[in-house]
Amino acid sequence: MRAVVQRVTASSVTVGGDVKGSIGEGLAVLLGVESGDGEKDLEYMIDKVSGLRVFDDEDGIMNLSVLDTGGAVLSISQFTLLGDVRRGKRPSWIRAERPGTANELYRRFNDGLRAKGIHVEEGVFQADMSVAIVNDGPVTILLDSRKLF
């Protein structure tokens, strides 16, 4: 699994002119599911996102997680994170998981965050979405469950 995690002051997702999810302070998470991802990848990503210490403590040091601050998560499924452009200029999507399995793992990721007490808003799987992100900092973290970066 791959994720782009951004600390936000606000974030929302719109489909066809209708807002489907919206948060204030918290994290915007763009999540890509890779072919072959399983339980270990899912647990890794839930643990990393929920515990990521990117919010300032009382001394202005990034030392708090979204759990510590009571922030929310806007979770967006994004298979394009698995696009491979090492050869040529048109992305290859061969590493992205098939939609059925990807959707199941995406839902379980969101449910895993909720089980930790985090309020999660979601995009619409496989929809053409408009995502608004007000990146705070800016703080942007890249995660990969296979630790390729």
Side-chain angles (χ1 to χ4, degrees), residues 10-23 28 30 74-78 122-134:
S11 189
S12 64
V13 59
T14 304
V15 177
D18 295 325
V19 175
K20 299 297 183 181
S22 179
I23 65 167
L30 308 174
L74 177 65
S75 175
I76 306 294
S77 175
Q78 188 170 356
E122 299 178 19
V124 178
F125 190 82
Q126 286 191 302
D128 185 6
M129 297 176 273
S130 294
V131 181
I133 297 173
V134 182

Side-chain angles (χ1 to χ4, degrees), residues 1-61:
M1 284 183 169
R2 286 200 173 156
V4 174
V5 181
Q6 295 188 319
R7 184 178 75 183
V8 300
T9 56
S11 189
S12 64
V13 59
T14 304
V15 177
D18 295 325
V19 175
K20 299 297 183 181
S22 179
I23 65 167
E25 282 192 8
L27 300 173
V29 178
L30 308 174
L31 184 73
V33 179
E34 188 169 357
S35 181
D37 280 346
E39 280 307 309
K40 288 179 79 171
D41 303 281
L42 182 63
E43 290 172 16
Y44 175 88
M45 203 58 75
I46 291 167
D47 183 60
K48 280 291 187 186
V49 169
S50 64
L52 197 60
R53 293 169 29 186
V54 294
F55 295 93
D56 292 348
D57 64 16
E58 62 277 353
D59 296 321
I61 306 293

